[in-house]
Amino acid sequence: MTNYTDMWEKLNLDLKAHDSLMQVLGKFYGDIYLSQQGRLKGAEYLDFVLSEVHGLRVQELQDAKAQGRKIVGTFCVFVPEELTLAADAVQVGLCSGADAGTELAETLVPRNTCALIKSFMGFKLARLCPYIESCDLLVGETTCDGKKKAYEQLAEMAPIHIMEVPQKKDDHDRVLWKTEVLRYKQVIEKLTGKTITADKLKTAIKTVNAKRRALQRLNRLRADEPAPISGRDVLLVNQISFYDDPVRFTAKINELCDEIEARIKQGQGVAPKGTPRLMLSGCPMAVPNWKLPYIIESSGAVIVSEESCIGSRNTRDLVDESTDTLEGMLDAIADRYLRIDCATFTPNTERLDNIVQLAKESKADGVIHYGLLFCQPYAHESFKVDKALKDAGIPMLSIETDYSMEDVGQLKTRVEAFVEMLK
Ligand code: BJ8
């Protein structure tokens, strides 16, 4: 096994704390993932990427930097990866799903801040994340108040550009958003010293769309009955999509889909026919936030879809590929990203329609609405989601939690009761 200690040292990680984190993560992964029965062969790619999460991929980033490429870290699906790639930079997602550095984070953000924000602040402050330490630029965005204010603190520690995401989707909001897309184009061009041409942007749009198409294909296939792949594995696929090389990732996911197609032909699944099928909806589950999926799938149900930014919300819409002019492509990018139905928008009625549609398409028997504790936007919308699903005849259970393990027993009892009711 390659020793990455020198690399981590150069990145100024706290080696001792990092070692402990890796040990916990390895055990957690073993318990939740490697214990699964009937996994697909293609899941070996997932296991490999995860086993090298702070190793090989980080090494690749250092190699890219040595060749003059820049690394851009993001916290939200509003940052257009197409522009980052067209400027020959690498984009990595930095949303964090682990309880790490929380005490340090709470010296800069209020205690009643969601776990996701505390996590990325904690990772930075405790020097635990080789990705954030590899970044030449962080890109934040004006979505929820918690993130906005946390970025002000982060700006004291690292170079950061903030994209202004509008709160509404009227015509003048579209004008603002297009301006922000253009502003990001200038920022990334300045960072990399490369001009984004129509040809480069076209290629980048195709690359990112291909990644989304592979994930859409995976989502269509898993709608089959019996479910051919576990929700845990698909969540992992979505999590990995934020930091693996996009071309390699797309090829691997398409291979996985080929294998699933063969499995479907043989009528095989990860759980017997008739197993209650659940959809997850709500806040993103960043790696290694696998707590709730594990609870659900060890309570006699299988997860068949995720209405979340680390799920369908990020893959549902493609950038229109029909235009060849630079201006036309920038418009297509602005339009595609403004279709994201994040709960920070008001109103956000399209999310309700999208949830009902996805629940039907994935043949979900019920929905679990997942809110991170102290996340106001998603907690508010959970009431409307409940009503929309009730009107469609689909039962919903609302769960609020964080990254700690203290409530596992209590959550399991509630999930088991919900699954029993669906039976
Ligand atoms: S587009 S969902 S990735 S903002 S959970 S930090 S909302 S308090 S993550 Fe998100 Fe972009 Fe929207 Fe998607 Fe705030 Fe809520 Fe925390 Fe959240």
mmCIF file of all heavy atoms in Angstrom, residues 75-78 114 116-117 143-144 147 283-284 309 313 340 342 372 375 378, ligand 1:
data_model
loop_
_atom_site.group_PDB
_atom_site.id
_atom_site.type_symbol
_atom_site.label_atom_id
_atom_site.label_comp_id
_atom_site.label_asym_id
_atom_site.label_seq_id
_atom_site.Cartn_x
_atom_site.Cartn_y
_atom_site.Cartn_z
ATOM 1 N N PHE A 75 -18.919 24.032 -2.476
ATOM 2 C CA PHE A 75 -19.767 23.542 -1.388
ATOM 3 C C PHE A 75 -21.213 23.378 -1.845
ATOM 4 O O PHE A 75 -22.080 23.091 -1.028
ATOM 5 C CB PHE A 75 -19.737 24.530 -0.220
ATOM 6 C CG PHE A 75 -18.349 24.810 0.268
ATOM 7 C CD1 PHE A 75 -17.618 25.875 -0.244
ATOM 8 C CD2 PHE A 75 -17.765 24.000 1.231
ATOM 9 C CE1 PHE A 75 -16.324 26.125 0.204
ATOM 10 C CE2 PHE A 75 -16.477 24.250 1.679
ATOM 11 C CZ PHE A 75 -15.763 25.311 1.165
ATOM 12 N N CYS A 76 -21.471 23.617 -3.106
ATOM 13 C CA CYS A 76 -22.861 23.666 -3.555
ATOM 14 C C CYS A 76 -22.925 23.343 -5.038
ATOM 15 O O CYS A 76 -21.989 23.658 -5.782
ATOM 16 C CB CYS A 76 -23.402 25.076 -3.307
ATOM 17 S SG CYS A 76 -25.063 25.376 -3.916
ATOM 18 N N VAL A 77 -24.036 22.769 -5.479
ATOM 19 C CA VAL A 77 -24.166 22.374 -6.884
ATOM 20 C C VAL A 77 -24.458 23.559 -7.807
ATOM 21 O O VAL A 77 -24.700 23.366 -8.990
ATOM 22 C CB VAL A 77 -25.252 21.285 -7.057
ATOM 23 C CG1 VAL A 77 -24.860 20.016 -6.344
ATOM 24 C CG2 VAL A 77 -26.613 21.768 -6.577
ATOM 25 N N PHE A 78 -24.425 24.772 -7.259
ATOM 26 C CA PHE A 78 -24.649 25.939 -8.120
ATOM 27 C C PHE A 78 -23.394 26.381 -8.881
ATOM 28 O O PHE A 78 -23.470 27.217 -9.770
ATOM 29 C CB PHE A 78 -25.205 27.110 -7.294
ATOM 30 C CG PHE A 78 -26.692 27.209 -7.435
ATOM 31 C CD1 PHE A 78 -27.528 26.667 -6.483
ATOM 32 C CD2 PHE A 78 -27.255 27.793 -8.560
ATOM 33 C CE1 PHE A 78 -28.899 26.714 -6.638
ATOM 34 C CE2 PHE A 78 -28.627 27.850 -8.727
ATOM 35 C CZ PHE A 78 -29.450 27.306 -7.756
ATOM 36 N N CYS A 114 -26.100 23.973 11.098
ATOM 37 C CA CYS A 114 -26.251 22.584 10.640
ATOM 38 C C CYS A 114 -24.888 21.866 10.592
ATOM 39 O O CYS A 114 -23.837 22.505 10.470
ATOM 40 C CB CYS A 114 -26.935 22.530 9.273
ATOM 41 S SG CYS A 114 -25.809 22.678 7.891
ATOM 42 N N LEU A 116 -23.494 20.079 8.396
ATOM 43 C CA LEU A 116 -22.715 20.163 7.151
ATOM 44 C C LEU A 116 -21.772 21.372 7.184
ATOM 45 O O LEU A 116 -20.591 21.283 6.840
ATOM 46 C CB LEU A 116 -23.712 20.248 5.988
ATOM 47 C CG LEU A 116 -23.188 20.114 4.578
ATOM 48 C CD1 LEU A 116 -24.218 19.392 3.713
ATOM 49 C CD2 LEU A 116 -22.894 21.455 3.963
ATOM 50 N N ILE A 117 -22.289 22.486 7.633
ATOM 51 C CA ILE A 117 -21.455 23.697 7.715
ATOM 52 C C ILE A 117 -20.370 23.520 8.779
ATOM 53 O O ILE A 117 -19.195 23.815 8.548
ATOM 54 C CB ILE A 117 -22.338 24.928 8.037
ATOM 55 C CG1 ILE A 117 -23.291 25.192 6.874
ATOM 56 C CG2 ILE A 117 -21.480 26.158 8.327
ATOM 57 C CD1 ILE A 117 -24.336 26.259 7.129
ATOM 58 N N THR A 143 -26.558 30.978 -0.610
ATOM 59 C CA THR A 143 -27.790 30.165 -0.552
ATOM 60 C C THR A 143 -28.410 30.363 0.833
ATOM 61 O O THR A 143 -29.105 31.333 1.047
ATOM 62 C CB THR A 143 -27.481 28.689 -0.867
ATOM 63 O OG1 THR A 143 -26.314 28.292 -0.137
ATOM 64 C CG2 THR A 143 -27.259 28.464 -2.349
ATOM 65 N N CYS A 144 -28.103 29.475 1.787
ATOM 66 C CA CYS A 144 -28.700 29.677 3.117
ATOM 67 C C CYS A 144 -27.842 30.647 3.938
ATOM 68 O O CYS A 144 -26.664 30.862 3.643
ATOM 69 C CB CYS A 144 -28.847 28.344 3.840
ATOM 70 S SG CYS A 144 -27.274 27.596 4.300
ATOM 71 N N LYS A 147 -24.494 29.181 5.503
ATOM 72 C CA LYS A 147 -23.331 29.082 4.619
ATOM 73 C C LYS A 147 -22.744 30.457 4.339
ATOM 74 O O LYS A 147 -21.532 30.657 4.418
ATOM 75 C CB LYS A 147 -23.742 28.425 3.300
ATOM 76 C CG LYS A 147 -23.708 26.898 3.309
ATOM 77 C CD LYS A 147 -24.164 26.434 1.956
ATOM 78 C CE LYS A 147 -23.678 25.052 1.628
ATOM 79 N NZ LYS A 147 -24.123 24.653 0.283
ATOM 80 N N CYS A 283 -32.102 17.347 2.531
ATOM 81 C CA CYS A 283 -30.724 17.883 2.584
ATOM 82 C C CYS A 283 -29.734 16.911 1.935
ATOM 83 O O CYS A 283 -29.946 15.700 1.944
ATOM 84 C CB CYS A 283 -30.302 18.087 4.039
ATOM 85 S SG CYS A 283 -31.172 19.420 4.858
ATOM 86 N N PRO A 284 -28.630 17.466 1.421
ATOM 87 C CA PRO A 284 -27.614 16.586 0.843
ATOM 88 C C PRO A 284 -26.922 15.724 1.903
ATOM 89 O O PRO A 284 -26.757 16.159 3.045
ATOM 90 C CB PRO A 284 -26.602 17.548 0.222
ATOM 91 C CG PRO A 284 -27.029 18.924 0.541
ATOM 92 C CD PRO A 284 -28.285 18.894 1.337
ATOM 93 N N CYS A 309 -29.313 17.137 -3.449
ATOM 94 C CA CYS A 309 -28.227 17.620 -4.320
ATOM 95 C C CYS A 309 -27.153 16.561 -4.506
ATOM 96 O O CYS A 309 -26.384 16.620 -5.459
ATOM 97 C CB CYS A 309 -27.635 18.900 -3.767
ATOM 98 S SG CYS A 309 -28.718 20.288 -4.105
ATOM 99 N N ARG A 313 -31.394 15.841 -7.720
ATOM 100 C CA ARG A 313 -31.470 17.290 -7.952
ATOM 101 C C ARG A 313 -30.275 17.781 -8.754
ATOM 102 O O ARG A 313 -30.346 18.770 -9.472
ATOM 103 C CB ARG A 313 -31.571 18.041 -6.618
ATOM 104 C CG ARG A 313 -32.015 19.485 -6.820
ATOM 105 C CD ARG A 313 -32.190 20.278 -5.529
ATOM 106 N NE ARG A 313 -33.060 19.605 -4.614
ATOM 107 C CZ ARG A 313 -32.730 19.296 -3.346
ATOM 108 N NH1 ARG A 313 -31.557 19.629 -2.873
ATOM 109 N NH2 ARG A 313 -33.581 18.677 -2.571
ATOM 110 N N ILE A 340 -32.343 24.449 -10.637
ATOM 111 C CA ILE A 340 -32.123 23.711 -9.379
ATOM 112 C C ILE A 340 -33.175 24.155 -8.359
ATOM 113 O O ILE A 340 -33.352 25.356 -8.128
ATOM 114 C CB ILE A 340 -30.694 23.991 -8.830
ATOM 115 C CG1 ILE A 340 -29.650 23.455 -9.805
ATOM 116 C CG2 ILE A 340 -30.517 23.364 -7.445
ATOM 117 C CD1 ILE A 340 -28.216 23.877 -9.486
ATOM 118 N N CYS A 342 -33.542 24.188 -5.067
ATOM 119 C CA CYS A 342 -33.034 24.220 -3.680
ATOM 120 C C CYS A 342 -34.065 24.917 -2.790
ATOM 121 O O CYS A 342 -34.714 25.877 -3.205
ATOM 122 C CB CYS A 342 -31.711 24.979 -3.665
ATOM 123 S SG CYS A 342 -31.081 25.303 -2.009
ATOM 124 N N LEU A 372 -31.270 18.176 7.998
ATOM 125 C CA LEU A 372 -30.201 18.302 8.991
ATOM 126 C C LEU A 372 -30.706 19.231 10.091
ATOM 127 O O LEU A 372 -31.344 20.245 9.796
ATOM 128 C CB LEU A 372 -28.951 18.880 8.341
ATOM 129 C CG LEU A 372 -28.049 17.871 7.653
ATOM 130 C CD1 LEU A 372 -26.965 18.583 6.849
ATOM 131 C CD2 LEU A 372 -27.396 16.936 8.665
ATOM 132 N N CYS A 375 -31.333 23.146 9.946
ATOM 133 C CA CYS A 375 -31.468 23.610 8.561
ATOM 134 C C CYS A 375 -32.879 24.146 8.390
ATOM 135 O O CYS A 375 -33.829 23.380 8.243
ATOM 136 C CB CYS A 375 -31.210 22.479 7.561
ATOM 137 S SG CYS A 375 -31.643 22.986 5.879
ATOM 138 N N TYR A 378 -34.956 23.503 4.605
ATOM 139 C CA TYR A 378 -35.545 22.174 4.367
ATOM 140 C C TYR A 378 -36.562 21.803 5.435
ATOM 141 O O TYR A 378 -37.551 21.114 5.151
ATOM 142 C CB TYR A 378 -34.443 21.115 4.194
ATOM 143 C CG TYR A 378 -33.855 21.217 2.802
ATOM 144 C CD1 TYR A 378 -32.766 22.042 2.554
ATOM 145 C CD2 TYR A 378 -34.443 20.571 1.721
ATOM 146 C CE1 TYR A 378 -32.266 22.208 1.275
ATOM 147 C CE2 TYR A 378 -33.950 20.727 0.439
ATOM 148 C CZ TYR A 378 -32.857 21.544 0.222
ATOM 149 O OH TYR A 378 -32.390 21.706 -1.061
HETATM 150 S S1 BJ8 B 1 -28.362 23.829 -3.936
HETATM 151 S S2 BJ8 B 1 -29.286 22.125 -0.972
HETATM 152 S S3 BJ8 B 1 -25.941 22.111 -2.152
HETATM 153 S S4 BJ8 B 1 -27.418 25.091 -0.803
HETATM 154 S S5 BJ8 B 1 -28.270 21.714 5.125
HETATM 155 S S6 BJ8 B 1 -25.879 24.217 4.462
HETATM 156 S S7 BJ8 B 1 -29.237 24.525 3.182
HETATM 157 S S8 BJ8 B 1 -28.564 24.877 6.632
HETATM 158 S S9 BJ8 B 1 -26.673 22.320 1.605
HETATM 159 FE FE1 BJ8 B 1 -27.276 22.902 -0.463
HETATM 160 FE FE2 BJ8 B 1 -26.591 24.177 -2.656
HETATM 161 FE FE3 BJ8 B 1 -29.125 24.153 -1.868
HETATM 162 FE FE4 BJ8 B 1 -28.023 21.971 -2.809
HETATM 163 FE FE5 BJ8 B 1 -27.763 25.411 4.624
HETATM 164 FE FE6 BJ8 B 1 -29.508 23.530 5.137
HETATM 165 FE FE7 BJ8 B 1 -27.076 23.313 6.094
HETATM 166 FE FE8 BJ8 B 1 -27.527 23.094 3.485
#
